[in-house]
Amino acid sequence: MMAAFRMLLVLTVLTGILFPLSMVGVARLCFPAKAEGSLMERAGRVVGSAMIGRQFDDPKYFWPRPSATSPFPYNAASSSGSNLGPLNADLGAAMAARKIALLRADPGNRAAIPIDLLTASGSGLDPHISPDAAYYQAPRVARIRGVPLARLHALIANRTEGRQFSVLGEARVNVAELNRLLDAQ
Amino acid sequence: MSWADTVQIAIYLGALLLCVKPLGSYMAWIYEGRWSCGLERWIYRAAGVKEALAMSWKCYARAFLFFNAAGFAAVYAMLRIQQFLPWNPQSFPAVDAHTAFNIAASFVSNTNWQSYGGESTLGYFVQMAGLAVQNFVSAASGMAVMAALARGLGSQGTKSIGNFWVDLVRSTLYILLPLSVLLTVILMSQGVIQNLNPYVTMAETGQVLPMGPAASQVAIKQLGTNGGGFFNTNSAHPFENPTPFSNFAECLALLLIPAALCHTFGCLVKDRRQGVALLATMLVIFLPLLLLTVHAEQGNMEGKEVRFGTTSSALWAVATTAASNGAVNSMHDSYTPLGELAPFFLMQCGEVVFGGVGSGVYGLIVFAVIAVFLAGLMVGRTPEFLGKKIEAFEMQMASIAILVPPLCVLLGTAITVVSPMGLSGLQDRGAHGFSEILYAFTSMANNNGSAFAGYGANTPLVNIAGGLAMLMARFWVALAVLGIAGSLAQKKIIPAGAGTLPTHTPLFVGILAGTVVIVGALAFIPALALGPIVEVLR
């Protein structure tokens, strides 16, 4: 039994202290910004992370995906999905409400609403929307801001990340980044 | 399925299969003891163990149990005194006794079921020195038991099945640690965080960003089929899994060692065709369920991330429940009724389709023992496996090993659905509510750890019943396997004759896969019929 505790102690030092701390060291040397959360600063103050989504509900911005974190959407301190299954009536009601909110913000838009704008992400912190979801919202943002639609389309096309190495994952647009460029224009 | 989806799946499977032979041969080389270094010998000296001691199966089992008991005690103690430990920048308080019991049972048994949210419960010291250590050593313990079983099958006329400490240290030092370093660096390059900073508060919104040494922990939780996330939403969280490539690497790591261990087993019993047959059996069950799930989840983005899409999410869901990993990159509770069937069934097969590191292969060998017994009954011959006669003792042990997990699942579910406390955490009523509880106990009692996360499992009842289920399923099965190893090590190897059933042929692959599926189906179809199957039919 003593041998068991001593072995545990030795392996704890090796795998639980030396391994993670040396990886923190490697991170500081090789990936300082990424390992500290890809933080974005404005005027010396941290305003967000490039990896973590943020809530935008003003119609002049592109909206991110619905988020199921509590007590408010995009609460990074408590990641969570809705965990509602497709047969759950609450999910149907939530999707209907999201659809109404999108249509109310842009009554003239008859295009089909991309599914990622109606469903909550797994983490509740998804920083991305699909390119379709960005193009769907472009007429609304263009109308409210009074900018030509073509310019927004160009912006979206420019900010769309394709599948990684052309094959992995899905094409996507970072919403916070898109909105930042929108404000900068 | 689009063309791009097919290509992604093909690349994934191709990469996995390419790694099987080199990694499997390397691991066999390690277990045969053909390499050692000064650090390894220093560890034996520091721990005060005799590495040259040849252990009988009872001695091996004792060391295995004592070591895991020590791990359990250490994790439980750390959780209960968390407020006094260093690297706790958010000053999280001590964890409740029943939650701490569940966490300790969960991480020691390689399950990593989590009834807590990491970023709102645990400080960095507990994550690193408590949980991540168990991620390494529970995986290494499983690999050790597999190596012991292979030795028992490969040797004759001996009582010894190796030395637990040597197998444990070698698995950790030469296999898990180097692969973890490699994967950590890959993940950090993609943006997985690795720091000891306090949480960051945003200037404008007041939003709080959690921090911590996530990359090192994510690496080992994938490689060691542990699956316990640093953050609440596991590998759906952008800080744990930020890009499609990080997702690919994590998903590959998830099946890497379980797949390669098939080849290791073949090398250790000096018949590589056996390893091929084991891997083929796993693939025969895995591939149809993969295609079913990918198909069923097309268009269902609830609980999924845009950067992964439905295909990478469904691939992950099937891989993580085939392996006893249990990490998630999408929320299984939000899957379509058809899409949730494969995760259910893969766990209920006893986690032998890839399964846990070590425990997947030894679990499948137990099924192989059952399969040769069934085949022997059909023709009236004494069953043999790899030249060893399978007799009453082996059959008793094999029966225990395959009956304990279903017993824990069904009893745990039954107790929970009749108790008000068990029902209090339910998000859904009716069939899906039953599915949530069945999933919880299926996951815990097969040491998987994934969840239908809508079910609030952090109640004393579920924490304690689930904790016991995890411990029984892990240790009773492992003890039975060590018993088989010890018994077979003493038996002579009989040369194959005309009446021997060869265990490397497509015929045997079919018998073995059939045994796994039929045993799983017989145990669980009544329960599945009350939950997931009703949902499919609705």
Side-chain angles (χ1 to χ4, degrees):
Chain A
M1 196 70 211
M2 266 322 286
F5 273 106
R6 281 170 69 175
M7 180 62 88
L8 182 68
L9 186 66
V10 174
L11 290 180
T12 299
V13 171
L14 185 68
T15 62
I17 307 282
L18 292 179
F19 164 61
L21 292 189
S22 61
M23 289 296 111
V24 170
V26 172
R28 288 207 180 138
L29 277 178
C30 306
F31 315 103
K34 284 178 171 172
E36 306 220 325
S38 310
L39 300 178
M40 300 189 294
E41 296 188 0
R42 197 181 303 148
R45 298 192 306 173
V46 177
V47 294
S49 160
M51 300 293 172
I52 304 286
R54 268 181 288 160
Q55 177 70 337
F56 292 91
D57 36 26
D58 192 322
K60 72 176 182 176
Y61 287 112
F62 286 94
W63 292 350
R65 297 184 64 189
S67 159
T69 61
S70 64
F72 53 89
Y74 286 92
N75 176 12
S78 182
S79 61
S80 169
S82 75
N83 290 309
L84 298 174
L87 299 183
N88 191 303
D90 291 350
L91 178 61
M95 287 174 73
R98 290 162 190 160
K99 200 168 188 172
I100 290 169
L102 282 163
L103 289 175
R104 197 167 283 162
D106 193 11
N109 197 338
R110 293 274 171 271
I113 302 175
I115 188 70
D116 51 318
L117 285 181
L118 299 177
T119 50
S121 62
S123 61
L125 306 174
D126 196 340
H128 300 114
I129 52 177
S130 65
D132 284 350
Y135 287 118
Y136 172 82
Q137 298 185 64
R140 180 190 78 220
V141 177
R143 179 167 49 76
I144 293 173
R145 291 188 175 247
V147 295
L149 187 59
R151 200 199 290 173
L152 287 190
H153 279 187
L155 182 68
I156 294 169
N158 183 256
R159 300 312 308 174
T160 299
E161 297 170 70
R163 292 168 185 270
Q164 206 168 0
F165 314 126
S166 312
V167 284
L168 297 178
E170 302 289 338
R172 61 210 182 275
V173 184
N174 187 311
V175 181
E177 177 68 7
L178 196 61
N179 286 332
R180 191 182 64 78
L181 292 170
L182 213 53
D183 277 345
Q185 275 192 344
Chain B
M1 263 165 64
S2 70
W3 184 80
D5 295 334
T6 316
V7 172
Q8 286 199 54
I9 293 173
I11 292 176
Y12 175 78
L13 292 173
L16 179 67
L17 294 178
L18 271 182
C19 296
V20 164
K21 201 170 172 189
L23 181 62
S25 307
Y26 169 73
M27 290 192 288
W29 195 67
I30 292 299
Y31 289 121
E32 283 167 348
R34 299 211 206 151
W35 157 262
S36 86
C37 70
L39 179 59
E40 185 192 342
R41 289 187 294 273
W42 179 85
I43 291 175
Y44 299 137
R45 269 210 311 282
V49 299
K50 297 189 194 73
E51 71 264 35
L53 182 72
M55 293 179 168
S56 69
W57 83 265
K58 285 183 181 160
C59 186
Y60 198 101
R62 204 175 302 131
F64 168 75
L65 283 183
F66 280 168
F67 180 70
N68 281 282
F72 179 91
V75 174
Y76 183 81
M78 281 186 215
L79 290 166
R80 297 290 288 152
I81 56 163
Q82 173 170 236
Q83 69 273 38
F84 305 116
L85 296 174
W87 293 315
N88 182 3
Q90 301 313 112
S91 308
F92 289 123
V95 179
D96 287 338
H98 61 89
T99 313
F101 170 78
N102 188 277
I103 298 174
S106 173
F107 279 76
V108 168
S109 62
N110 198 250
T111 310
N112 293 29
W113 168 268
Q114 295 170 293
S115 60
Y116 62 94
E119 68 267 48
S120 52
T121 315
L122 298 182
Y124 304 154
F125 186 83
V126 173
Q127 295 262 27
M128 296 191 307
L131 303 189
V133 171
Q134 288 306 316
N135 282 354
F136 276 98
V137 297
S138 68
S141 297
M143 293 159 84
V145 172
M146 190 232 60
L149 178 62
R151 259 182 231 121
L153 279 160
S155 54
Q156 51 183 335
T158 171
K159 287 204 149 175
S160 166
I161 55 171
N163 181 305
F164 174 72
W165 304 117
V166 172
D167 289 338
L168 175 80
V169 170
R170 291 178 157 263
S171 304
T172 309
L173 197 59
Y174 300 134
I175 300 168
L176 296 171
L177 205 49
L179 285 172
S180 297
V181 169
L182 181 67
L183 185 58
T184 306
V185 173
I186 291 173
L187 293 179
M188 292 192 301
S189 78
Q190 295 298 304
V192 179
I193 59 172
Q194 177 75 7
N195 60 59
L196 297 171
N197 303 345
Y199 291 8
V200 177
T201 307
M202 302 296 113
E204 292 164 4
T205 56
Q207 197 191 13
V208 173
L209 283 181
M211 290 285 136
S216 56
Q217 193 147 335
V218 173
I220 183 60
K221 75 140 166 141
Q222 295 303 107
L223 285 163
T225 59
N226 301 284
F230 196 84
F231 302 111
N232 186 36
T233 50
N234 211 297
S235 282
H237 197 295
F239 275 163
E240 274 199 44
N241 195 0
T243 67
F245 180 60
S246 68
N247 186 66
F248 180 82
E250 288 181 24
C251 201
L252 184 65
L254 201 157
L255 291 187
L256 184 65
I257 297 179
L261 278 175
C262 294
H263 184 65
T264 307
F265 178 81
C267 295
L268 290 177
V269 299
K270 302 193 176 51
D271 183 356
R272 294 184 177 192
R273 297 169 307 178
Q274 302 296 336
V276 177
L278 293 183
L279 188 59
T281 307
M282 294 176 177
L283 288 172
V284 163
I285 302 174
F286 179 78
L287 290 176
L289 292 172
L290 173 64
L291 295 180
L292 170 78
T293 311
V294 169
H295 174 74
E297 287 304 308
Q298 296 293 312
N300 178 16
M301 280 301 285
E302 182 69 26
K304 298 191 180 67
E305 304 284 299
V306 166
R307 61 194 179 283
F308 310 140
T310 56
T311 301
S312 299
S313 300
L315 170 62
W316 181 300
V318 176
T320 195
T321 46
S324 76
N325 188 298
V328 296
N329 74 350
S330 59
M331 297 300 121
H332 294 186
D333 211 350
S334 298
Y335 272 42
T336 61
L338 201 56
E340 74 190 30
L341 261 186
F344 256 114
F345 192 67
L346 282 164
M347 290 190 285
Q348 290 171 341
C349 286
E351 291 296 7
V352 295
V353 180
F354 296 105
V357 289
S359 63
V361 168
Y362 71 63
L364 194 54
I365 300 299
V366 168
F367 273 102
V369 166
I370 305 275
V372 292
F373 177 74
L374 293 176
L377 283 182
M378 288 180 211
V379 294
R381 269 185 61 98
T382 309
E384 295 163 20
F385 183 62
L386 300 178
K388 302 272 191 176
K389 273 206 168 79
I390 302 297
E391 292 167 304
F393 179 77
E394 288 79 25
M395 282 314 298
Q396 284 161 5
M397 292 295 130
S399 306
I400 290 174
I402 63 164
L403 290 178
V404 165
L407 188 75
C408 294
V409 173
L410 297 174
L411 272 181
T413 306
I415 291 169
T416 305
V417 294
V418 295
S419 106
M421 192 191 278
L423 297 175
S424 66
L426 276 184
Q427 175 180 268
D428 295 73
R429 299 279 146 183
H432 193 67
F434 182 80
S435 296
E436 285 180 343
I437 294 178
L438 181 64
Y439 195 100
F441 279 92
T442 298
S443 170
M444 287 191 277
N446 287 289
N447 297 139
N448 181 279
S450 65
F452 270 14
Y455 181 50
N458 196 4
T459 56
L461 175 82
V462 180
N463 275 335
I464 291 168
L468 291 173
M470 290 189 269
L471 292 174
M472 289 195 287
R474 172 73 169 181
F475 294 103
W476 287 7
V477 172
L479 284 185
V481 169
L482 287 175
I484 295 176
S487 164
L488 293 182
Q490 298 180 40
K491 295 187 180 182
K492 280 212 296 278
I493 296 177
I494 311 157
T500 306
L501 173 70
T503 51
H504 60 266
T505 57
L507 174 69
F508 187 74
V509 169
I511 296 175
L512 181 54
T515 308
V516 171
V517 170
I518 289 168
V519 169
L522 283 178
F524 288 109
I525 282 205
L528 285 173
L530 293 174
I533 293 176
V534 172
E535 291 183 65
V536 173
L537 297 177
R538 265 223 326 237

